[in-house]
Amino acid sequence: MTVRRLYTVVEETLHDRGQIRDEPLRKVAVVAVINNPFAGHGYVEDLSALTDASVELGTKIAEMGASQMAPYTVDSYGKAALIGTAGEQEHGVACLTTVYGNVLRDAVGGGKAWISSMTKRVRPGEHVDIPLAHKDALFVRSHYDGMTIMVPDAPLEDEICVICCFANRGRLNHRVGGPSKEDIVGNDGLR
């Protein structure tokens, strides 16, 4: 797997609708634009080459993303893959399996909840909405959020954009109930 480009987006929201909070909402996405070894080859049963390579790649981009969160810690995470038109959606899914998720968890000091994800085939420059949820408890509604990004020249038809995304807190103006961050038990990844 060859990385053509690394792309990092940092977004920091200081207030929303005039409601200033003690801590801004920082979101970070790191994108690795890689070649797709299966692009243009029709259906291929075994995609383990992408899954195996996602460990090293995931470690690199997750560590980059976690470092961009400073001085904050990561509260929520998400992942995505954009697949060029000569590939298939499953090529991106193969890059985002459990082994990739585990290195994301390692980079942020752990996480019990499953990691929300999005994959789709696109042309270069199309947007993706990366879903975010709390890293330890999926039912914490304040952290249901997302980050929209695009990479201006990627993915080319024979590439995949592998993406990790982190946030330091829930939405700034959360007020619709549900368990709060303070209520997390942390046993099952749900509560």
Side-chain angles (χ1 to χ4, degrees), residues 103-125:
V103 297
L104 264 60
R105 288 181 181 91
D106 291 345
V108 301
K112 299 247 185 226
W114 64 277
I115 305 173
S116 302
S117 67
M118 175 65 183
T119 59
K120 64 180 185 175
R121 288 175 59 196
V122 297
R123 291 183 179 90

Side-chain angles (χ1 to χ4, degrees), residues 54-64 100 103-104 106-107:
S54 72
V55 174
E56 182 179 343
L57 180 68
T59 300
K60 180 175 183 63
I61 66 174
E63 288 175 355
M64 289 175 65
Y100 176 78
V103 297
L104 264 60
D106 291 345

Side-chain angles (χ1 to χ4, degrees), residues 56-80:
E56 182 179 343
L57 180 68
T59 300
K60 180 175 183 63
I61 66 174
E63 288 175 355
M64 289 175 65
S67 72
Q68 290 293 315
M69 288 300 299
Y72 309 110
T73 58
V74 174
D75 254 15
S76 60
Y77 49 31
K79 57 188 179 176

Side-chain angles (χ1 to χ4, degrees), residues 4-5 13 21 30 36-37 67 73 75 84 90-91 96 98-100 121 133 144 147 157 159 188:
R4 175 172 71 91
R5 184 174 182 195
T13 305
R21 304 296 177 205
V30 180
N36 181 352
S67 72
T73 58
D75 254 15
E90 204 67 12
H91 298 163
L96 301 183
T98 302
V99 296
Y100 176 78
R121 288 175 59 196
Y144 294 171
M147 184 174 185
E157 67 178 15
E159 292 179 329
D188 60 6

